[in-house]
Amino acid sequence: MLQSSGDEDAADPPTEDQITDEPVAQERLEARRFKRLRRNRLLSRFSIQSKLVLMMVLCATIAAAVVGLIAFQAGRSSLRTQVFNRLTEVRESQSRALESEFKDLKNSLVLYSHGAIAVPALQTFIAGFDQLADATINPAQQQSIADYYNDTLTTHS
């Protein structure tokens, strides 16, 4: 049988009659038979019942892995949603508490500013401020005021 030099696998395999004369071809045929027998022996070690049990165990394991993966994804998504909802709830609660504090502070300030002591104190402050508007200060007093503000306000900022 003629074959091309680079295409040995593409041709039909030779029959036993064609290769009995050639020792190399005889060895190839025996090697193929041995592989087939070895493959058949490997599978024949186990009974059909063992093979079925093995297939069932593999199917059950794969199914459990898929279900576990899906449950993990769903659980993670659910927990993430709950965490975001809880954080939103805490943020809104803190916002309400802060608004309540400012409202209480504003109400207290209104009460204290209309009280019996605040009105005369404010009138006295306005009168004193008006007296200072007409007063003159010398450069030493001006420097003393500037130093006070520079030392007190800039070092605490």
Side-chain angles (χ1 to χ4, degrees):
M1 179 176 199
L2 294 173
Q3 295 179 356
S4 64
S5 61
D7 197 18
E8 292 178 2
D9 295 333
D12 292 331
T15 63
E16 287 186 42
D17 295 334
Q18 294 171 341
I19 59 172
T20 53
D21 299 333
E22 303 171 15
V24 174
Q26 183 86 18
E27 289 177 18
R28 279 192 220 154
L29 182 61
E30 288 176 14
R32 280 190 214 147
R33 284 182 189 160
F34 180 72
K35 281 184 180 178
R36 228 180 287 142
L37 286 175
R38 194 174 73 190
R39 195 175 330 139
N40 287 340
R41 261 190 280 155
L42 180 66
L43 294 176
S44 66
R45 286 186 197 171
F46 301 107
S47 68
I48 190 78
Q49 182 180 6
S50 299
K51 291 175 189 175
L52 285 174
V53 168
L54 180 65
M55 287 175 48
M56 294 299 271
V57 167
L58 286 175
C59 287
T61 304
I62 291 171
V66 168
V67 168
L69 182 65
I70 291 171
F72 172 76
Q73 294 291 337
R76 185 172 67 171
S77 174
S78 174
L79 284 175
R80 185 173 285 173
T81 302
Q82 284 180 339
V83 166
F84 283 133
N85 288 341
R86 179 68 179 136
L87 286 174
T88 302
E89 184 180 309
V90 167
R91 181 189 66 207
E92 289 178 3
S93 172
Q94 293 291 333
S95 175
R96 283 191 303 269
L98 190 61
E99 286 175 5
S100 175
E101 273 303 313
F102 280 131
K103 189 175 180 182
D104 288 346
L105 187 62
K106 182 180 175 184
N107 290 339
S108 297
L109 187 60
V110 167
L111 282 174
Y112 292 140
S113 66
H114 292 318
I117 298 174
V119 173
L122 186 59
Q123 289 172 347
T124 307
F125 177 76
I126 291 172
F129 190 77
D130 288 340
Q131 286 177 356
L132 285 177
D134 297 334
T136 58
I137 55 171
N138 60 25
Q141 290 173 333
Q142 180 67 31
Q143 186 61 38
S144 151
I145 293 170
D147 289 342
Y148 171 77
Y149 282 112
N150 286 333
D151 292 342
T152 304
L153 298 178
T154 56
T155 56
H156 294 312
S157 298

